[in-house]
Amino acid sequence: MFSACFRTLTRHAKPRTSSTCNGYATEAATFETKPFRLHKLDSGPSTTVTVTRTDAVDMYKKMHMIRRLETAAGNLYKEKIIRGFCHLYSGQEACAVGMKQAMRPHDSIISAYRVHGWTYLMGVEPLGVLAELTGRQSGCARGKGGSMHMYTKNFYGGNGIVGAQVPLGAGVAFAAKYSGTDGVCLALYGDGAANQGQIFEVYNIAKLWDIPCIFVCENNGYGMGTSAERASASTQYYTRGDYVPGIWVDGMDVLAVREATQFAINHCTSGKGPMVMEMVTYRYSGHSMSDPGTSYRTREEVQEVRQTRDPITSFRERILTAELATSDELKKITNVQKVLQTEKDIVKRRFHSLSVSNLASETSSRNNETAQMSTLKKLLVV
């Protein structure tokens, strides 16, 4: 059923580009997205979206980095270097990158526990994320937060209690309104948390006080091992706010996500109160590393999404078709080792101070530490 839903989302957009130079468009390209579905809105985001070459390459680079980062985290977990809980974001990269592209410097975000990619997007270096995952002092939470509890400026985590971050997000948005910063807060949760009573309570208070909060339901089709259809009497999550306006978004299209988020920010900052966004997306891995993800869905379903709806490969095709960048340029981006070469000094400083004494299966010897550093670097570029 979920596979059928994704098949209906397949699009064949024909880009319109500006004049070309040196083999690629120097200005911008325009694409058509799938229509947005609206709830209690007279008009919504434009389905005609324009992206500059600079922004397109930047978004592609960020999505690819998140995918590599999650691959590295998965490998580290299998090697028992990362311990405890670990939830991967592979497949959902367009959601985070699209939202971040529309956010302003004074906007905030709070999420559940699938946040490695968000931590990177909000300013923590990839190796800083890995350092936190492996319980090292140089991690963004000094190695004490691990996979689920990462924080940095305007990023409030990383929260382990299902749905509990949503009221907190409304509080962050209320603080922005009270302080007069003109900021908004994006409060992210999954379809599995969407039936929580506290979410409906916070819809109510946010609408009563016109709090500038964007409630984002990342609907990846499954709450742990239960499909959305089995768990929810209504799977139209963008309508769940009742009196709160909502938008349905193709969460596998980074440009659609960016456009919808910009629309939502403008809505909130104009004094109209909160908004609900449902982003239909997909996760390739199981709910967590302890879940193989194959007992409640078929391998064929996952493979079909990878082949027809992958957010990175589909965006890459758009970039190349519109001649926003050449194939060689994109290959350089996908070579993570070269991308990280410009951060050589940062990498050296971070890993020079890493401690492995808190890894139960390791000793604190210099040889062991050097081996751990080497392993982390290799996993990031595999």
Side-chain angles (χ1 to χ4, degrees), residues 260-293:
T261 305
Q262 183 62 65
F263 179 88
I265 290 174
N266 292 338
H267 175 93
C268 290
T269 55
S270 64
K272 297 178 182 178
M275 178 170 285
V276 176
M277 289 201 302
E278 176 189 352
M279 300 202 177
V280 176
T281 183
Y282 198 83
R283 58 169 165 81
Y284 295 148
S285 303
H287 171 73
S288 69
M289 287 300 295
S290 61
D291 168 25

Side-chain angles (χ1 to χ4, degrees), residues 222-234:
Y222 299 94
M224 297 188 72
T226 304
S227 67
E229 289 79 8
R230 290 182 59 208
S232 300
S234 170

Side-chain angles (χ1 to χ4, degrees), residues 82-109:
I82 293 176
R83 297 173 180 271
F85 296 103
C86 187
H87 305 80
L88 303 183
Y89 203 64
S90 300
Q92 301 183 210
E93 297 89 352
C95 293
V97 173
M99 282 186 272
K100 181 61 175 68
Q101 201 73 12
M103 289 171 64
R104 303 160 300 170
H106 52 290
D107 292 329
S108 303
I109 176 257

